[in-house]
Amino acid sequence: MKIKKSRVSDEIPTSSMADIAFLLIIYFMVTTTFAATRGLDFALPEEDDQPPVVEKEESVLIEIEPSGNLVVDQKPMQLSEVLDYLKPKLEVNPRKPVIIRPDGNAPYGAMAKVYDELRQGADKGVEVKNIAIPTQREIDRFWF
Amino acid sequence: MRLQATQTTPAVIPTASMADIAFLLIIFFMVTFTIEVDRTQVTLPKTVMRFEVPKKAAYVSITEGGQLKVSDGEQMSAPVQSSDEVLSFALEVLGQDPSKEFVLKADDSVPYRYIDETIDALKQARAKVIYLLSAQETQDDGSGSGS
Protein backbone atom coordinates (compact mmCIF):
# COMPACT_ATOMS: atom_id res chain seq x y z
CA MET A 1 0.00 0.00 0.00
CA LYS A 2 1.28 3.41 -0.91
CA ILE A 3 1.18 6.03 1.85
CA LYS A 4 0.58 9.56 0.64
CA LYS A 5 2.52 12.26 2.42
CA SER A 6 0.69 15.57 2.61
CA ARG A 7 3.15 18.39 2.01
CA VAL A 8 2.60 21.70 3.75
CA SER A 9 3.49 24.64 1.56
CA ASP A 10 6.22 26.87 3.01
CA GLU A 11 4.87 29.99 1.29
CA ILE A 12 2.74 32.68 2.86
CA PRO A 13 -0.50 32.93 0.86
CA THR A 14 -0.52 36.42 -0.58
CA SER A 15 -3.26 36.09 -3.16
CA SER A 16 -5.78 38.01 -1.01
CA MET A 17 -3.30 40.70 0.07
CA ALA A 18 -4.13 43.00 -2.83
CA ASP A 19 -7.85 42.74 -2.07
CA ILE A 20 -7.29 43.63 1.59
CA ALA A 21 -4.94 46.48 0.67
CA PHE A 22 -7.43 48.00 -1.75
CA LEU A 23 -10.28 47.63 0.73
CA LEU A 24 -8.19 49.59 3.24
CA ILE A 25 -7.39 52.25 0.63
CA ILE A 26 -11.06 52.62 -0.24
CA TYR A 27 -11.97 52.89 3.47
CA PHE A 28 -9.44 55.66 4.10
CA MET A 29 -10.35 57.49 0.89
CA VAL A 30 -14.05 57.51 1.79
CA THR A 31 -13.57 58.53 5.43
CA THR A 32 -10.88 61.16 4.89
CA THR A 33 -12.28 64.66 5.13
CA PHE A 34 -10.37 67.80 4.33
CA ALA A 35 -11.53 69.81 7.29
CA ALA A 36 -10.62 73.46 7.85
CA THR A 37 -7.91 73.32 10.50
CA ARG A 38 -6.51 76.80 10.34
CA GLY A 39 -7.47 80.06 11.93
CA LEU A 40 -6.41 83.23 13.66
CA ASP A 41 -4.93 82.73 17.10
CA PHE A 42 -6.12 85.04 19.81
CA ALA A 43 -4.31 84.99 23.16
CA LEU A 44 -6.62 85.73 26.05
CA PRO A 45 -5.47 87.93 28.91
CA GLU A 46 -5.34 86.50 32.39
CA GLU A 47 -8.65 86.90 34.16
CA ASP A 48 -8.09 89.57 36.78
CA ASP A 49 -10.35 91.40 39.16
CA GLN A 50 -8.20 94.50 38.93
CA PRO A 51 -9.17 97.12 36.33
CA PRO A 52 -6.93 97.03 33.25
CA VAL A 53 -4.05 99.49 33.18
CA VAL A 54 -5.12 100.71 29.72
CA GLU A 55 -6.96 103.99 29.75
CA LYS A 56 -9.55 104.70 27.12
CA GLU A 57 -7.94 107.97 26.06
CA GLU A 58 -4.56 106.32 25.40
CA SER A 59 -5.91 103.67 23.10
CA VAL A 60 -7.33 103.54 19.60
CA LEU A 61 -10.95 102.43 19.61
CA ILE A 62 -12.29 100.58 16.57
CA GLU A 63 -16.05 100.23 16.77
CA ILE A 64 -17.94 97.97 14.41
CA GLU A 65 -21.51 99.01 13.64
CA PRO A 66 -24.34 96.50 13.05
CA SER A 67 -23.95 97.13 9.31
CA GLY A 68 -20.28 96.13 9.55
CA ASN A 69 -19.02 99.69 8.97
CA LEU A 70 -16.11 100.89 11.05
CA VAL A 71 -15.82 103.92 13.29
CA VAL A 72 -12.26 104.53 14.43
CA ASP A 73 -11.85 107.08 17.22
CA GLN A 74 -15.30 108.48 16.39
CA LYS A 75 -14.46 108.78 12.68
CA PRO A 76 -16.02 106.55 9.98
CA MET A 77 -13.26 104.68 8.18
CA GLN A 78 -12.72 101.97 5.57
CA LEU A 79 -10.89 98.82 6.65
CA SER A 80 -8.10 99.54 4.16
CA GLU A 81 -7.45 102.92 5.84
CA VAL A 82 -7.05 101.61 9.39
CA LEU A 83 -3.36 100.70 9.24
CA ASP A 84 -2.50 104.06 7.64
CA TYR A 85 -4.35 105.74 10.49
CA LEU A 86 -2.51 103.67 13.10
CA LYS A 87 0.97 104.04 11.61
CA PRO A 88 1.90 107.50 13.02
CA LYS A 89 0.34 106.66 16.39
CA LEU A 90 2.30 103.42 16.69
CA GLU A 91 5.53 105.17 15.68
CA VAL A 92 5.13 107.38 18.76
CA ASN A 93 4.03 104.52 21.02
CA PRO A 94 4.64 101.03 19.56
CA ARG A 95 2.66 99.45 22.39
CA LYS A 96 -0.39 101.63 21.93
CA PRO A 97 -3.45 99.49 22.63
CA VAL A 98 -5.93 99.03 19.82
CA ILE A 99 -9.36 98.04 21.09
CA ILE A 100 -11.87 96.32 18.82
CA ARG A 101 -15.42 96.80 20.04
CA PRO A 102 -18.07 95.25 17.79
CA ASP A 103 -21.75 96.00 18.29
CA GLY A 104 -23.76 93.02 19.57
CA ASN A 105 -25.60 92.84 16.25
CA ALA A 106 -22.52 93.29 14.04
CA PRO A 107 -21.64 90.21 12.00
CA TYR A 108 -18.81 88.11 13.40
CA GLY A 109 -17.14 88.17 9.98
CA ALA A 110 -16.61 91.95 10.29
CA MET A 111 -14.76 91.48 13.58
CA ALA A 112 -12.64 88.70 12.07
CA LYS A 113 -11.74 90.96 9.12
CA VAL A 114 -10.66 93.83 11.38
CA TYR A 115 -8.58 91.51 13.57
CA ASP A 116 -7.06 89.93 10.45
CA GLU A 117 -6.16 93.37 9.06
CA LEU A 118 -4.45 94.37 12.32
CA ARG A 119 -2.52 91.08 12.40
CA GLN A 120 -1.41 91.67 8.82
CA GLY A 121 0.08 95.00 9.90
CA ALA A 122 3.37 93.29 10.85
CA ASP A 123 3.89 92.37 7.18
CA LYS A 124 3.01 95.91 6.07
CA GLY A 125 5.38 97.72 8.43
CA VAL A 126 2.68 98.63 10.98
CA GLU A 127 2.97 96.06 13.72
CA VAL A 128 0.09 96.26 16.16
CA LYS A 129 1.42 94.58 19.29
CA ASN A 130 -1.43 95.27 21.65
CA ILE A 131 -4.84 94.24 20.30
CA ALA A 132 -7.70 93.90 22.78
CA ILE A 133 -11.22 92.63 22.19
CA PRO A 134 -12.97 93.22 25.52
CA THR A 135 -16.20 91.37 26.17
CA GLN A 136 -19.39 93.16 27.19
CA ARG A 137 -18.96 91.93 30.79
CA GLU A 138 -15.47 93.44 30.95
CA ILE A 139 -16.75 96.69 29.44
CA ASP A 140 -19.53 96.87 32.01
CA ARG A 141 -17.07 96.20 34.84
CA PHE A 142 -14.03 98.19 33.81
CA TRP A 143 -14.98 100.74 31.15
CA PHE A 144 -14.74 104.31 32.31
CA MET B 1 19.54 34.15 -45.44
CA ARG B 2 18.21 32.93 -42.18
CA LEU B 3 15.03 34.58 -40.86
CA GLN B 4 14.75 35.30 -37.18
CA ALA B 5 11.61 34.31 -35.41
CA THR B 6 9.38 37.29 -34.55
CA GLN B 7 9.44 38.23 -30.88
CA THR B 8 6.09 38.09 -29.15
CA THR B 9 5.39 40.42 -26.25
CA PRO B 10 3.58 38.64 -23.45
CA ALA B 11 0.06 40.05 -22.86
CA VAL B 12 0.54 40.43 -19.10
CA ILE B 13 0.26 43.59 -17.03
CA PRO B 14 3.20 43.76 -14.61
CA THR B 15 1.74 43.74 -11.13
CA ALA B 16 4.85 43.16 -9.08
CA SER B 17 4.91 46.74 -7.78
CA MET B 18 1.17 46.96 -7.16
CA ALA B 19 1.45 45.86 -3.54
CA ASP B 20 4.15 48.47 -2.85
CA ILE B 21 2.01 51.24 -4.32
CA ALA B 22 -1.07 50.04 -2.44
CA PHE B 23 0.77 50.01 0.89
CA LEU B 24 2.27 53.45 0.23
CA LEU B 25 -1.26 54.76 -0.33
CA ILE B 26 -2.48 53.07 2.85
CA ILE B 27 0.37 54.61 4.86
CA PHE B 28 -0.39 58.05 3.37
CA PHE B 29 -4.07 57.86 4.30
CA MET B 30 -3.31 56.48 7.77
CA VAL B 31 -0.88 59.31 8.51
CA THR B 32 -3.19 62.06 7.22
CA PHE B 33 -6.34 60.55 8.73
CA THR B 34 -7.91 62.69 11.42
CA ILE B 35 -11.28 62.26 12.99
CA GLU B 36 -13.37 65.38 12.50
CA VAL B 37 -14.92 65.96 15.91
CA ASP B 38 -17.17 68.78 14.78
CA ARG B 39 -19.17 68.58 11.59
CA THR B 40 -21.31 71.67 12.10
CA GLN B 41 -22.00 73.29 8.77
CA VAL B 42 -20.98 76.94 8.93
CA THR B 43 -19.70 79.56 6.50
CA LEU B 44 -16.37 80.50 8.00
CA PRO B 45 -15.11 84.09 7.86
CA LYS B 46 -12.29 84.59 5.37
CA THR B 47 -8.93 85.80 6.60
CA VAL B 48 -5.47 86.21 5.10
CA MET B 49 -3.60 85.27 8.28
CA ARG B 50 -4.19 81.65 9.23
CA PHE B 51 -2.31 79.38 11.59
CA GLU B 52 -2.52 75.63 12.10
CA VAL B 53 -4.93 74.67 14.84
CA PRO B 54 -3.38 72.24 17.36
CA LYS B 55 -4.64 68.69 17.13
CA LYS B 56 -6.98 67.65 19.95
CA ALA B 57 -8.01 71.26 20.58
CA ALA B 58 -11.47 71.71 22.09
CA TYR B 59 -14.18 73.07 19.79
CA VAL B 60 -16.99 75.52 20.33
CA SER B 61 -19.12 75.96 17.24
CA ILE B 62 -21.85 78.54 16.67
CA THR B 63 -24.27 78.27 13.77
CA GLU B 64 -25.88 81.17 11.93
CA GLY B 65 -28.90 80.88 14.22
CA GLY B 66 -26.77 81.00 17.36
CA GLN B 67 -26.95 77.30 18.22
CA LEU B 68 -23.97 76.17 20.27
CA LYS B 69 -22.05 72.90 20.13
CA VAL B 70 -19.00 71.85 22.11
CA SER B 71 -16.39 69.13 21.79
CA ASP B 72 -13.38 68.37 23.95
CA GLY B 73 -11.40 67.39 20.87
CA GLU B 74 -11.78 63.66 21.56
CA GLN B 75 -15.51 63.10 21.30
CA MET B 76 -18.00 64.28 18.73
CA SER B 77 -19.53 67.69 19.36
CA ALA B 78 -22.73 67.89 21.37
CA PRO B 79 -25.24 70.73 21.52
CA VAL B 80 -25.44 73.00 24.55
CA GLN B 81 -28.17 75.50 25.36
CA SER B 82 -26.35 78.57 26.68
CA SER B 83 -23.00 80.23 27.27
CA ASP B 84 -23.27 79.12 30.92
CA GLU B 85 -23.00 75.54 29.70
CA VAL B 86 -20.00 76.57 27.58
CA LEU B 87 -18.41 77.90 30.77
CA SER B 88 -19.09 74.62 32.60
CA PHE B 89 -17.68 72.68 29.65
CA ALA B 90 -14.56 74.88 29.48
CA LEU B 91 -13.98 74.57 33.22
CA GLU B 92 -14.20 70.78 32.95
CA VAL B 93 -11.84 70.65 29.96
CA LEU B 94 -9.31 73.04 31.52
CA GLY B 95 -9.55 71.14 34.81
CA GLN B 96 -8.12 68.12 33.01
CA ASP B 97 -5.63 70.07 30.89
CA PRO B 98 -5.04 73.72 31.84
CA SER B 99 -3.10 74.41 28.63
CA LYS B 100 -5.87 73.15 26.32
CA GLU B 101 -6.45 75.34 23.28
CA PHE B 102 -9.96 76.22 22.12
CA VAL B 103 -11.20 76.60 18.56
CA LEU B 104 -14.10 78.92 17.86
CA LYS B 105 -15.90 77.72 14.75
CA ALA B 106 -18.55 80.32 14.09
CA ASP B 107 -20.60 81.36 11.11
CA ASP B 108 -19.49 84.49 9.28
CA SER B 109 -22.87 86.18 9.73
CA VAL B 110 -23.68 85.23 13.33
CA PRO B 111 -24.40 88.32 15.49
CA TYR B 112 -21.33 89.22 17.52
CA ARG B 113 -23.17 88.99 20.87
CA TYR B 114 -23.02 85.16 20.59
CA ILE B 115 -19.26 85.33 20.04
CA ASP B 116 -18.92 87.81 22.89
CA GLU B 117 -20.73 85.51 25.33
CA THR B 118 -18.63 82.53 24.23
CA ILE B 119 -15.30 84.36 24.46
CA ASP B 120 -16.35 85.68 27.86
CA ALA B 121 -17.15 82.17 29.07
CA LEU B 122 -13.73 80.96 27.88
CA LYS B 123 -12.03 83.95 29.54
CA GLN B 124 -13.81 83.21 32.81
CA ALA B 125 -12.69 79.59 32.57
CA ARG B 126 -9.12 80.93 32.16
CA ALA B 127 -8.52 79.57 28.69
CA LYS B 128 -5.22 80.82 27.32
CA VAL B 129 -5.61 80.73 23.54
CA ILE B 130 -8.57 80.73 21.20
CA TYR B 131 -8.27 79.99 17.50
CA LEU B 132 -10.85 81.77 15.35
CA LEU B 133 -11.35 79.17 12.63
CA SER B 134 -11.34 80.76 9.20
CA ALA B 135 -11.20 80.05 5.51
CA GLN B 136 -8.43 81.33 3.26
CA GLU B 137 -9.11 84.71 1.73
CA THR B 138 -8.02 84.85 -1.88
CA GLN B 139 -7.25 87.77 -4.18
CA ASP B 140 -10.72 87.37 -5.75
CA ASP B 141 -12.35 88.02 -2.39
CA GLY B 142 -11.08 91.60 -2.51
CA SER B 143 -8.86 91.47 0.54
CA GLY B 144 -8.47 94.64 2.53
CA SER B 145 -11.02 96.66 0.59
CA GLY B 146 -14.03 98.16 2.25
CA SER B 147 -15.26 97.36 5.69
Side-chain angles (χ1 to χ4, degrees):
Chain A
M1 191 182 149
K2 205 174 180 183
I3 298 168
K4 269 191 180 177
K5 274 188 182 175
S6 61
R7 292 184 62 187
V8 180
S9 169
D10 58 355
E11 284 181 11
I12 298 166
T14 55
S15 57
S16 61
M17 193 181 69
D19 299 334
I20 296 163
F22 278 104
L23 275 175
L24 282 169
I25 289 172
I26 290 162
Y27 168 75
F28 281 116
M29 282 177 76
V30 169
T31 55
T32 295
T33 51
F34 292 95
T37 55
R38 282 172 165 262
L40 277 167
D41 60 331
F42 174 44
L44 297 178
E46 297 280 320
E47 177 76 5
D48 199 346
D49 290 334
Q50 297 298 313
V53 187
V54 178
E55 286 185 23
K56 194 179 170 185
E57 289 75 19
E58 290 175 351
S59 58
V60 175
L61 178 65
I62 302 175
E63 292 170 283
I64 305 173
E65 294 179 334
S67 59
N69 293 331
L70 305 182
V71 177
V72 183
D73 287 345
Q74 313 295 325
K75 292 184 280 280
M77 203 173 282
Q78 295 290 309
L79 181 62
S80 53
E81 298 167 348
V82 172
L83 286 177
D84 291 335
Y85 174 78
L86 291 173
K87 192 172 185 179
K89 292 177 183 294
L90 292 169
E91 279 171 356
V92 175
N93 178 11
R95 295 207 62 82
K96 193 177 221 8
V98 178
I99 300 170
I100 303 172
R101 192 182 172 190
D103 186 276
N105 291 318
Y108 164 59
M111 171 268 185
K113 282 229 181 296
V114 173
Y115 185 56
D116 183 39
E117 181 73 6
L118 296 181
R119 291 292 300 273
Q120 284 180 66
D123 298 335
K124 298 175 181 174
V126 191
E127 189 179 1
V128 189
K129 292 178 180 165
N130 203 348
I131 305 169
I133 310 174
T135 62
Q136 191 57 48
R137 185 182 60 89
E138 290 171 327
I139 290 167
D140 293 342
R141 285 178 72 190
F142 302 129
W143 206 261
F144 47 87
Chain B
M1 189 182 141
R2 209 171 162 191
L3 288 173
Q4 274 191 330
T6 50
Q7 281 188 332
T8 52
T9 312
V12 177
I13 299 166
T15 55
S17 61
M18 193 182 70
D20 299 333
I21 296 164
F23 278 105
L24 277 176
L25 281 169
I26 289 172
I27 290 162
F28 167 76
F29 281 114
M30 281 178 75
V31 168
T32 57
F33 182 76
T34 49
I35 297 166
E36 197 179 5
V37 290
D38 185 89
R39 293 184 180 172
T40 311
Q41 293 293 315
V42 295
T43 308
L44 292 171
K46 289 182 175 174
T47 63
V48 175
M49 301 286 282
R50 291 169 82 229
F51 304 95
E52 192 69 35
V53 170
K55 283 182 180 175
K56 306 277 183 188
Y59 271 73
V60 179
S61 61
I62 309 172
T63 63
E64 194 179 353
Q67 289 168 313
L68 294 159
K69 276 186 181 179
V70 293
S71 164
D72 60 0
E74 309 264 342
Q75 293 174 339
M76 294 300 287
S77 60
V80 291
Q81 299 304 316
S82 65
S83 56
D84 290 338
E85 286 185 51
V86 176
L87 174 60
S88 312
F89 158 77
L91 284 169
E92 191 184 325
V93 168
L94 290 163
Q96 290 166 3
D97 180 4
S99 61
K100 189 89 162 178
E101 296 92 350
F102 283 81
V103 177
L104 184 57
K105 180 183 176 181
D107 194 279
D108 183 57
S109 58
V110 72
Y112 184 74
R113 60 178 179 276
Y114 293 108
I115 309 295
D116 183 85
E117 287 170 2
T118 305
I119 292 177
D120 196 56
L122 296 176
K123 273 184 178 176
Q124 286 185 69
R126 298 180 188 272
K128 290 182 175 63
V129 183
I130 300 177
Y131 284 83
L132 309 175
L133 207 65
S134 63
Q136 183 67 58
E137 180 159 307
T138 59
Q139 292 292 324
D140 299 336
D141 297 321
S143 63
S145 62
S147 56

